[in-house]
Amino acid sequence: MPLRLPKSSWSTTELEDLRELSRSFLQKEAVPHQERWAAEKKVDRELWTKAGDVGLLCLSIPEEYGGGGGTFAHEAVLYEEQARAGDSAWGVTVHNGIVAHYLLAYASEEKKREWLPKLASGELVGAIAMTEPGTGSDLQGIKTRAVLDGDHYVLNGAKTFITNGFHAGLVIVACKTDPDAGAQGVSLIVVETDSPGFRRGRVLDKVGMKGQDTAELFFDDVRVPAANLLGDTEGQGFVQLMLQLPQERLIIAVTAVAGLEAAVDLTLEYTKERTAFGRPIFSFQNTKFTLAEAATEAAVARAFLDQCIERHLKGELDVQGAAMAKLWTTERVNKVIDDCVQLFGGYGYMTEYPIARAWADVRISRIFGGTSEIMKEIISRSL
């Protein structure tokens, strides 16, 4: 029997209908392909257009730009169902919840009407390139340069760990337009990947999330129209990143909590069916106590997440609140899934079991979107 948690306070009948659509789509188009995608290190390109056909792309982008006209709650429903389906391959959170919103917030009206409908249909796959081989969390230390030459920027540099990097048709690139100005010298420029000088490197071999295409990207004298700069002037990139990162961190929290709940459900089912010493594993006190703690962790994480989603829907979730959500939920899901693996015994270490894949997949959640240590630093500034 699965966890019996109250329905989220922000849920509506419309959102529950979307949940059913998301669940059926993922069960048909994602779940059967997990092993193949993991081996190939990427999803099928057709997955994006199929998702666009049924209306699952750009759910929270206004209809005038081809989107679904919904809110973050619509996105959260899709991301929860993806986590519960055990799919970590499809980079829809980056495409929908991050890339599309940078364009909506900062691109010119002309560029919004050019790019957003293509993201919504799946004609374009979106990526955002911040991390570089030598920078990690230090966004002020990026080396990728963009130099204005007439009505074009010329980009040079390299990026790594880029989600959707293999399939991306459009990449938002964090670069330095003034290398001597620190954070004030960072700009965001959109690169269309059919531009001469753009090339993709390796699709990276990761510990988990093996089916998600995570690639190296290289920019060798790539000429980009000056109109592809996000914002009115150069040097706004760092502020734009700081304004958008809270939603990115809330997205990570959404998937963490849904993954935590799914792990507890899997383990409850397994321990009630699996026997040892002539009785179900669940009947042992250690199992019951471990799962009692896990169920409590899930209930507390869900309550906190729902509160954060409500605040975000009202425009009230601040940088510190989003950092708390990411820190707490990712640390808790890692602990709980590790405890669940222990209850599976040796089978918990076999990748044919969803709990083993979840254990490997979830470890990155304490690193990407800002490490747990960075979250603590952000939170401490408000104390």
Side-chain angles (χ1 to χ4, degrees):
M1 179 178 292
L3 285 171
R4 288 175 290 184
L5 297 174
K7 184 177 291 188
S8 293
S9 52
W10 45 269
S11 182
T12 64
T13 301
E14 178 196 357
L15 289 171
E16 291 309 307
D17 289 342
L18 174 62
R19 189 177 299 282
E20 287 298 321
L21 171 63
S22 301
R23 185 179 299 143
S24 62
F25 178 84
L26 288 159
Q27 287 297 324
K28 179 183 178 183
E29 303 294 349
V31 172
H33 308 298
Q34 293 300 302
E35 288 188 18
R36 178 171 59 82
W37 288 347
E40 296 175 357
K41 302 180 187 176
K42 61 183 183 297
V43 302
D44 299 330
R45 178 60 181 84
E46 296 74 30
L47 178 66
W48 292 97
T49 49
K50 289 177 180 178
D53 289 343
V54 300
L56 291 178
L57 298 183
C58 298
L59 288 165
S60 55
I61 296 300
E63 292 179 4
E64 65 182 296
Y65 301 117
T71 67
F72 180 80
H74 293 77
E75 302 287 359
V77 164
L78 173 60
Y79 307 154
E80 286 181 347
E81 290 309 309
Q82 182 184 19
R84 288 175 180 145
D87 171 48
S88 62
W90 185 28
V92 68
T93 56
V94 170
H95 179 96
N96 272 20
I98 299 174
V99 173
H101 280 272
Y102 274 94
L103 301 181
L104 180 67
Y106 308 122
S108 68
E109 185 65 23
E110 178 185 355
K111 290 299 182 181
K112 281 190 276 197
R113 294 190 180 278
E114 177 184 349
W115 290 326
L116 287 171
K118 293 178 181 178
L119 289 177
S121 68
E123 180 183 343
L124 281 179
V125 175
I128 183 164
M130 291 185 270
T131 305
E132 295 182 0
T135 60
S137 298
D138 180 17
L139 292 177
Q140 297 186 50
I142 59 176
K143 298 290 193 296
T144 299
R145 283 289 316 274
V147 178
L148 190 62
D149 179 26
D151 58 359
H152 282 72
Y153 284 100
V154 180
L155 268 72
N156 283 280
K159 299 288 183 178
T160 193
F161 308 145
I162 308 305
T163 299
N164 297 339
F166 181 84
H167 284 312
L170 177 151
V171 183
I172 298 172
V173 181
C175 55
K176 283 287 185 73
T177 44
D178 184 346
D180 300 319
Q184 286 70 43
V186 176
S187 298
L188 300 182
I189 296 176
V190 178
V191 175
E192 292 163 287
T193 59
D194 58 359
S195 303
F198 171 84
R199 58 190 173 90
R200 308 175 206 267
R202 297 176 299 152
V203 177
L204 301 170
D205 188 13
K206 306 180 297 297
V207 170
M209 304 185 83
K210 287 184 172 291
Q212 186 182 102
D213 73 270
T214 306
E216 300 171 321
L217 304 180
F218 298 97
F219 307 88
D220 302 316
D221 290 329
V222 179
R223 295 186 65 82
V224 180
N228 288 20
L229 175 73
L230 295 185
D232 299 327
T233 60
E234 295 178 0
Q236 297 180 338
F238 197 78
V239 172
Q240 292 165 345
L241 289 165
M242 293 305 104
L243 290 172
Q244 293 295 319
L245 277 170
Q247 175 155 306
E248 178 179 349
R249 288 165 181 160
L250 184 58
I251 289 169
I252 294 169
V254 168
T255 59
V257 172
L260 192 163
E261 293 167 347
V264 176
D265 285 343
L266 281 171
T267 311
L268 281 169
E269 180 181 7
Y270 178 80
T271 56
K272 290 181 178 182
E273 292 178 352
R274 175 81 172 173
T275 60
F277 303 101
R279 56 189 175 123
I281 294 173
F282 184 79
S283 67
F284 293 96
Q285 186 183 67
N286 178 69
T287 305
K288 289 189 286 188
F289 281 15
T290 299
L291 286 169
E293 290 181 4
T296 304
E297 295 272 22
V300 172
R302 170 56 62 183
F304 181 39
L305 175 66
D306 285 348
Q307 179 194 91
C308 289
I309 290 175
E310 286 184 348
R311 289 173 63 194
H312 189 52
L313 291 171
K314 296 175 184 176
E316 297 173 356
L317 184 65
D318 58 13
V319 171
Q320 288 78 18
M324 287 179 177
K326 181 188 184 294
L327 173 66
W328 179 259
T329 59
T330 58
E331 292 288 336
R332 301 339 286 165
V333 70
N334 272 272
K335 176 188 180 299
V336 168
I337 291 184
D338 192 72
D339 289 343
C340 290
V341 166
Q342 193 73 14
L343 294 178
F344 273 78
Y347 291 106
Y349 205 62
M350 300 296 110
T351 54
E352 65 193 81
Y353 277 71
I355 196 69
R357 297 194 296 271
W359 180 71
D361 289 345
V362 78
R363 183 58 182 85
I364 190 62
S365 67
R366 293 167 58 200
I367 298 173
F368 65 14
T371 63
S372 290
E373 292 73 25
I374 294 291
M375 296 306 98
K376 292 174 187 177
E377 178 65 27
I378 291 169
I379 295 162
S380 72
R381 293 171 190 165
S382 68
L383 302 181

